[in-house]
Amino acid sequence: MKKKVSILIPCFNEQEALPCLYEVLVKTINELEAYAFELLFVNDGSVDHTLELIRHFHDIDGRVSYIDLSRNFGKENAMLAGFDYVKGDCVIVMDADLQDSPSLIPEMLHWWEEGYEDVYAKRRDRGRESWLRKHLTLAYYHILDKSTRFEVLKNVGDFRLLDRKCIEAMKQLRENERYTKGMYAWIGYRKKEILFDRADRVAGESNWSYWSLLNLAIDGITSFTTAPLRLATISGFIIAMGAFTFLLYYLGKRLLFGDPVQGFTTLVCIMLFLGGGQLISIGILGEYIGKIFNETKQRPTYLIRDYIVGKDVADKDESSVTCPAN
């Protein structure tokens, strides 16, 4: 019996890129006759014609299944929905914009057959990206890597092959505010790196603004390390000791030499500095409290409007589809 390979593609407003993706993807997998494929599209609340295109692919190709989420829950949650529903012995996660080249799929499958459970694609070149965005991204990965107890891979996105063991592990991690790139590192398993040059988007524009990337970065740091809290504590201790030292210094000058305490401007600057430091510390604490607040609600990570299985993918005894706990 052929091994089943699922290809998971989260989509949000990708109507311009999907026809090109489907054409290239089908050409690639048709040459891999040793495997049975499932193409699982997750429509993450698109407001264009993305869902109509996916339904068309489903009508003409029995390997195409799709999940239609009730609204836009974000790429991280859309991927979790895919992990819950994929039927393959392994899953390949890729974006819909063809920046992740399907030509790497045969190499990924080769290393999977060699026993690797997480075959990830590392970007040798990041494609068309501004200097500022590229260096901010690298700085963020450096900070995250130094502040966590496990290695966070730089220049590595979601484009990877995961064995069924990894899929089952990812399904157990049900955080509402997810940072999947960190989860891949956290679950461990035997990993293999392959290099590729990331292409430019084949069509459309990226949905990731600087603000969205900043929110993702904050989620990543606060989800996998308490270093900001520790840094705030250490900074507070250092500032307090410094303030106490200056207090003793000026008190000594006043008592021993009778020097008046001067420097209204200096006093105001110190007060503003300490006030700003306190607000920053409260803000860091608030980020973690906010996460606790959201997790204690225990709301489902996503909700599904529709789940349609391709006729070549459905199990023979599958008469109905039920949603797993999400």
Side-chain angles (χ1 to χ4, degrees):
M1 182 180 294
K2 294 181 179 180
K3 293 183 179 179
K4 182 177 290 185
V5 178
S6 296
I7 300 179
L8 170 59
I9 308 168
C11 304
F12 177 65
N13 293 343
E14 295 288 358
Q15 65 177 9
E16 297 180 28
L18 278 178
C20 298
L21 169 71
Y22 179 74
E23 180 181 351
V24 176
L25 195 55
V26 167
K27 182 179 179 180
T28 301
I29 64 177
N30 283 346
E31 297 174 356
L32 300 170
E33 299 179 353
Y35 301 94
F37 282 91
E38 172 195 22
L39 306 181
L40 178 60
F41 293 87
V42 181
N43 179 44
D44 187 23
S46 299
V47 295
D48 60 2
H49 298 291
T50 294
L51 182 58
E52 287 80 356
L53 285 171
I54 295 173
R55 285 172 174 165
H56 172 67
F57 299 152
H58 169 77
D59 292 338
I60 64 175
D61 191 339
R63 297 169 296 187
V64 174
S65 304
Y66 67 88
I67 299 170
D68 183 24
L69 300 184
S70 63
R71 64 169 176 83
N72 177 247
F73 287 90
K75 180 183 177 182
E76 305 289 317
N77 294 341
M79 286 192 293
L80 176 61
F83 293 145
D84 284 337
Y85 283 84
V86 290
K87 298 179 178 295
D89 300 300
C90 68
V91 62
I92 297 173
V93 185
M94 62 185 303
D95 292 337
D97 54 17
L98 274 182
Q99 288 187 286
D100 302 332
S101 175
S103 63
L104 269 69
I105 291 177
E107 185 177 358
M108 288 180 167
L109 291 172
H110 165 75
W111 290 115
W112 177 54
E113 295 287 5
E114 292 293 319
Y116 291 96
E117 295 147 330
D118 182 355
V119 184
Y120 60 88
K122 182 175 182 179
R123 300 159 186 160
R124 193 163 35 207
D125 180 82
R126 297 184 63 90
R128 187 185 303 165
E129 193 174 49
S130 68
W131 181 92
L132 178 62
R133 181 165 174 168
K134 181 181 298 184
H135 284 79
L136 285 176
T137 301
L138 293 176
Y140 161 70
Y141 279 122
H142 178 75
I143 293 171
L144 186 59
D145 185 47
K146 293 297 182 182
S147 60
T148 57
R149 298 179 181 178
F150 51 87
E151 183 182 8
V152 178
L153 302 169
K154 301 179 182 65
N155 283 325
V156 177
D158 297 307
F159 186 29
R160 62 181 65 218
L161 179 150
L162 298 172
D163 183 78
R164 173 51 68 174
K165 295 176 184 176
C166 298
I167 299 170
E168 295 301 324
M170 294 296 292
K171 288 166 62 176
Q172 296 180 55
L173 307 180
R174 311 301 296 191
E175 293 98 317
N176 282 281
E177 297 182 19
R178 306 176 62 78
Y179 184 68
T180 309
K181 297 178 185 64
M183 293 178 180
Y184 294 141
W186 186 87
I187 63 173
Y189 293 102
R190 193 180 180 198
K191 301 183 184 298
K192 175 64 180 179
E193 171 188 298
I194 60 176
L195 298 175
F196 80 113
D197 295 322
R198 197 164 197 238
D200 298 325
R201 287 183 63 92
V202 68
E205 297 181 355
S206 174
N207 295 307
W208 290 95
S209 63
Y210 280 102
W211 181 251
S212 300
L213 292 172
L214 176 61
N215 287 332
L216 183 64
I218 293 174
D219 284 341
I221 292 174
T222 54
S223 294
F224 286 93
T225 176
T226 57
L229 290 173
R230 188 165 299 172
L231 179 62
T233 301
I234 294 173
S235 299
F237 179 78
I238 293 174
I239 292 172
M241 292 300 297
F244 183 70
T245 302
F246 273 106
L247 174 64
L248 293 179
Y249 171 73
Y250 284 113
L251 183 61
K253 285 183 63 178
R254 176 63 177 169
L255 294 176
L256 296 177
F257 305 104
D259 291 344
V261 178
Q262 301 178 0
F264 175 76
T265 303
T266 303
L267 180 62
V268 171
C269 291
I270 292 175
M271 291 178 63
L272 292 175
F273 172 74
L274 292 176
Q278 289 176 332
L279 290 175
I280 292 173
S281 300
I282 292 172
I284 292 173
L285 185 61
E287 286 291 333
Y288 285 92
I289 293 176
K291 282 187 172 293
I292 296 171
F293 172 70
N294 288 330
E295 294 298 333
T296 55
K297 293 178 183 179
Q298 296 185 342
R299 292 178 179 174
T301 312
Y302 60 85
L303 295 173
I304 289 179
R305 178 185 292 114
D306 209 357
Y307 170 48
I308 305 297
V309 186
K311 60 179 179 292
D312 294 346
V313 178
D315 298 330
K316 293 181 179 179
D317 58 348
E318 186 175 25
S319 55
S320 62
V321 176
T322 57
C323 298
N326 53 17

